[in-house]
């Protein structure tokens, strides 16, 4: 085998190995990014559930308070009409 053929063969192996390694690391980075997205989505869903639970609790409390006391919207014009 000639010297030029050996150099070409070695260069081909080196480039092939570099491509395989770079693709491997690219796949690992992509997988890590996708996993981080799943974690972020789960956290957003947890926060949404907490906010919905708080909203439901506030709605229940509002209903209880409306049964016990009269509530006005704070508009003085409407309060005068109702009081007259």
């Amino acid at each position: 085998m000639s010297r030029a053929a050996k150099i070409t063969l070695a260069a081909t192996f080196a480039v092939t190995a570099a491509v395989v390694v770079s693709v491997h690391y690219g796949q690992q980075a992509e997988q890590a990014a996708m996993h981080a997205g799943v974690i972020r989505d789960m956290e957003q869903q947890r926060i949404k559930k907490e906010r919905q639970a708080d909203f439901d609790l506030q709605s229940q409390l509002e209903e209880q308070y409306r049964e016990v006391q009269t509530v006005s919207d704070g508009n003085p014009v409407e309060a005068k009409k109702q009081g007259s």
Side-chain angles (χ1 to χ4, degrees):
M1 196 186 293
S2 70
R3 184 176 189 166
K6 290 179 183 177
I7 292 174
T8 302
L9 183 61
T12 303
F13 283 144
V15 169
T16 302
V19 168
V20 168
V21 168
S22 67
V23 167
H24 176 70
Y25 284 122
Q27 287 176 340
Q28 282 184 338
E30 185 176 314
Q31 183 181 11
M34 289 173 52
H35 183 68
V38 170
I39 298 297
R40 185 179 60 246
D41 288 346
M42 289 172 58
E43 181 65 18
Q44 287 176 347
Q45 289 176 359
R46 183 189 64 79
I47 290 171
K48 183 177 179 181
K49 285 180 184 178
E50 285 180 2
R51 288 181 179 163
Q52 185 64 43
D54 288 343
F55 178 77
D56 292 342
L57 178 63
Q58 290 298 321
S59 295
Q60 291 173 357
L61 288 173
E62 181 182 4
E63 288 299 319
Q64 290 175 358
Y65 292 150
R66 286 185 186 268
E67 290 174 3
V68 175
Q69 57 187 330
T70 58
V71 178
S72 66
D73 63 355
N75 189 349
V77 175
E78 291 294 322
K80 287 182 181 179
K81 287 182 183 177
Q82 290 177 357
S84 300

